[in-house]
Amino acid sequence: MASGGVFAYRLPLMRPTRTESSQAPLAKQIEEIVMSAPVTDIHTHLYDPAFKELLLWGVDDLLVYHYLVSESFRYLDLPYDRFWSLSKTAQADLIWDALFLQHSPVSEACRGVLTTLHALGLDVKKRDLPALRRWFASQTVDKHITRCMELAGLRKIFMTNSPFDDLERPVWEKGFRRDDRFATALRIDPLLVSWPETAPKLARWGYKVEAGVPPRQTFDEVRRFLADWTKRIGARYVMVSLPAGFEFPTRSITTQLIEQAVLPHCREYGLPFALMLGVKRATNPQLQLAGDGVGLSNLNVLQNLCAGYPDNKFLTTVLARENQHELCVLTRKFRNLHPFGCWWFTNVPCLIDEITRLRLELLGLSFTPQHSDARVLDQIVYKWQHSRRLIAQALVDKYADLAQTGWQVSRAEIERDVNDLFGGAFDRFCRS
Ligand code: RAT
Ligand code: ZN
């Protein structure tokens, strides 16, 4: 197979042993297993098809992905407002022109569009956007979900489910027949990062909460809210994304809500609390969703949570490259911590390669190397194809290192290990 990425380790230069000369078939076997093993995608922004237009798919949504919006503004010179006033098709036209026609689409997000289209059997070299649009217009959503999931090798897709989303909430309230390929995660950012605006909403929805200095009853009522939504959606974990600079514990309302409502709720329902740490929201608000940035997190926060609440489980991903090593070291100290994914700005090949190898070397197989964060259904195809290749390369090198000692792995052992990385370890962690 092809050699690893920029950070790939090389086997030491020594005379080939018998084990080394038989590496090629082993490498091929590992690659084959990793490329085809079913995956649970533990964090996406996709929706069960019952949510209708909330489930984004097709070439225009691929092109207006916020990762591409920010890249296109490196070249576009129209005012931000003008861009946002355009229709989705017109925005996609501009992005296609700037990122695919006027320059070669070498960034990871651009390459991803091409990987996806190619995997769907479309001819990208014609650079014919109207023809691509016609093809998508002739697809049905149900078939397209099946096709994309097959191409990505997914067995399950976790949604991000927010009771605070005015488009999503009424669908849950009305009820619908669930598609069992989609699992749920309860997302609670507004509760923890903007309590003064959120408290009146909870009050309107019938929970007896007070925004000022909340009495005990407020926390009980927040727990009742969390319990109602956990049951309503069948949540498998509770999730929040917290800004770089987040501190815990402090005397803030956020600390109180975490300590007195979220953590007791998670303990009661046996749910992990997923923390995504290190975002800087609205670094450039004019870019809207594309305007968030990254900052270093203080991982003492995580240490305080894991040590202070041993009966809680914490799933964690960190956005800053500089936090990745510390996260691994912390994970070695706390069994109630499970790192996952190469999130957002770290979801680029050179960092996936580096972070995955770092985790394998410090944690063995007790983590979840990747999630897609797909916002557009078709993106699962490229996000998983690209990541699988990097994970395969890292494993080839690791098993080759073992072979140097005379330790050989059987096919069944490789399959077991890959299954752990692709959802098995996550499932065990959630059940523990
Ligand atoms: O990766 C993304 O699409 C980000 O915009 C965020 O959604 C992030 O993943 C999050 O869940 O907050
Ligand atoms: Zn996300």
Side-chain angles (χ1 to χ4, degrees):
M1 65 169 292
S3 61
V6 273
F7 296 96
Y9 295 175
R10 305 274 172 244
L11 287 173
L13 285 175
M14 41 171 109
R15 239 171 29 141
T17 59
R18 247 191 7 196
T19 3
E20 257 187 312
S21 62
S22 61
Q23 282 314 299
L26 177 64
K28 212 162 165 269
Q29 192 180 46
I30 296 164
E31 199 181 33
E32 195 186 289
I33 293 169
V34 175
M35 293 312 284
S36 61
V39 179
T40 299
D41 194 341
I42 70 166
H43 172 61
T44 77
H45 297 265
L46 303 177
Y47 288 91
D48 181 309
F51 287 84
K52 304 263 173 21
E53 63 284 350
L54 289 189
L55 172 61
L56 304 177
W57 61 285
V59 69
D60 285 321
D61 279 307
L62 281 172
L63 288 171
V64 301
Y65 186 32
H66 69 89
Y67 292 26
L68 291 181
V69 169
S70 59
E71 287 172 31
S72 68
F73 270 99
R74 304 290 308 146
Y75 304 120
L76 296 176
D77 60 7
L78 83 167
Y80 295 108
D81 287 354
R82 172 92 188 94
F83 177 85
W84 295 118
S85 71
L86 299 173
S87 67
K88 188 198 287 182
T89 319
Q91 291 176 355
D93 283 339
L94 277 178
I95 292 174
W96 174 255
D97 186 64
L99 296 183
F100 290 79
L101 302 182
Q102 301 300 326
H103 305 88
S104 292
V106 295
S107 77
E108 175 63 5
C110 285
R111 170 189 169 220
V113 173
L114 300 181
T115 299
T116 299
L117 297 175
H118 180 68
L120 288 168
L122 296 159
D123 186 355
V124 296
K125 70 175 174 302
K126 287 189 180 144
R127 293 158 165 74
D128 186 350
L129 184 52
L132 295 170
R133 286 187 171 130
R134 282 195 297 280
W135 184 84
F136 279 98
S138 69
Q139 307 305 307
T140 62
V141 70
D142 278 327
K143 279 213 184 105
H144 200 57
I145 295 174
T146 308
R147 181 126 188 243
C148 290
M149 286 186 79
E150 271 169 19
L151 287 169
L154 299 194
R155 64 181 149 210
K156 197 61 101 207
I157 293 175
F158 272 77
M159 304 179 267
T160 295
N161 302 106
S162 173
F164 302 101
D165 184 310
D166 292 337
L167 298 174
E168 176 172 358
R169 191 178 57 257
V171 183
W172 287 112
E173 282 167 345
K174 185 157 172 260
F176 60 94
R177 198 190 159 92
R178 292 278 301 270
D179 180 327
D180 63 11
R181 294 172 296 183
F182 291 80
T184 48
L186 181 60
R187 182 79 178 236
I188 57 165
D189 293 24
L191 189 67
L192 296 183
V193 298
S194 42
W195 173 250
E197 293 81 47
T198 303
K201 280 192 187 161
L202 292 192
R204 267 203 313 281
W205 297 338
Y207 299 93
K208 298 185 195 68
V209 299
E210 284 173 37
V213 183
R216 171 79 249 162
Q217 179 189 271
T218 290
F219 300 109
D220 292 343
E221 284 293 279
V222 172
R223 279 184 73 172
R224 187 164 72 81
F225 165 78
L226 293 171
D228 286 348
W229 277 93
T230 293
K231 287 184 275 189
R232 178 173 285 140
I233 73 174
R236 295 268 308 275
Y237 61 85
V238 178
M239 177 178 244
V240 68
S241 144
L242 292 164
F246 171 71
E247 297 290 338
F248 178 95
T250 65
R251 296 167 67 84
S252 67
I253 182 67
T254 306
T255 287
Q256 293 176 55
L257 284 162
I258 291 176
E259 289 187 323
Q260 298 187 53
V262 178
L263 295 178
H265 168 75
C266 288
R267 287 196 297 273
E268 184 182 346
Y269 285 81
L271 302 178
F273 184 30
L275 301 155
M276 305 178 92
L277 302 174
V279 62
K280 266 194 193 162
R281 295 283 176 209
T283 301
N284 179 356
Q286 303 203 81
L287 278 169
Q288 300 191 6
L289 190 56
D292 297 342
V294 56
L296 201 62
S297 294
N298 175 3
L299 293 194
N300 287 337
V301 160
L302 210 49
Q303 180 178 334
N304 295 340
L305 282 164
C306 291
Y309 298 91
D311 295 331
N312 278 95
K313 295 175 280 190
F314 300 95
L315 289 161
T316 302
T317 196
V318 286
L319 197 50
R321 180 191 189 182
E322 296 79 358
N323 277 136
Q324 303 295 335
H325 183 248
E326 193 180 352
L327 175 61
C328 285
V329 176
L330 265 181
T331 304
R332 293 169 64 91
K333 309 300 150 197
F334 294 106
R335 284 181 296 178
N336 57 341
L337 177 57
H338 184 96
F340 72 95
C342 297
W343 177 29
W344 204 343
F345 310 115
T346 63
N347 196 357
V348 290
C350 65
L351 294 186
I352 299 169
D353 189 65
E354 177 183 76
I355 295 166
T356 303
R357 286 167 193 270
L358 182 65
R359 289 171 173 172
L360 286 171
E361 288 169 16
L362 281 168
L363 305 172
L365 298 150
S366 64
F367 67 98
T368 300
Q370 195 53 303
H371 67 271
S372 76
D373 234 308
R375 280 177 182 267
V376 182
L377 172 65
D378 319 62
Q379 289 169 343
I380 55 177
V381 177
Y382 91 79
K383 300 234 187 194
W384 282 105
Q385 283 193 6
H386 293 185
S387 289
R388 277 179 198 264
R389 250 176 235 134
L390 295 158
I391 294 166
Q393 282 167 8
L395 285 177
V396 167
D397 289 349
K398 291 300 136 204
Y399 291 127
D401 289 346
L402 298 185
Q404 289 272 322
T405 72
W407 183 276
Q408 296 188 347
V409 280
S410 66
R411 185 178 181 97
E413 286 170 329
I414 302 169
E415 284 171 348
R416 173 203 60 197
D417 295 349
V418 172
N419 181 55
D420 270 354
L421 293 176
F422 283 177
F426 167 81
D427 278 340
R428 248 194 329 274
F429 182 76
C430 291
R431 278 199 310 268
S432 63

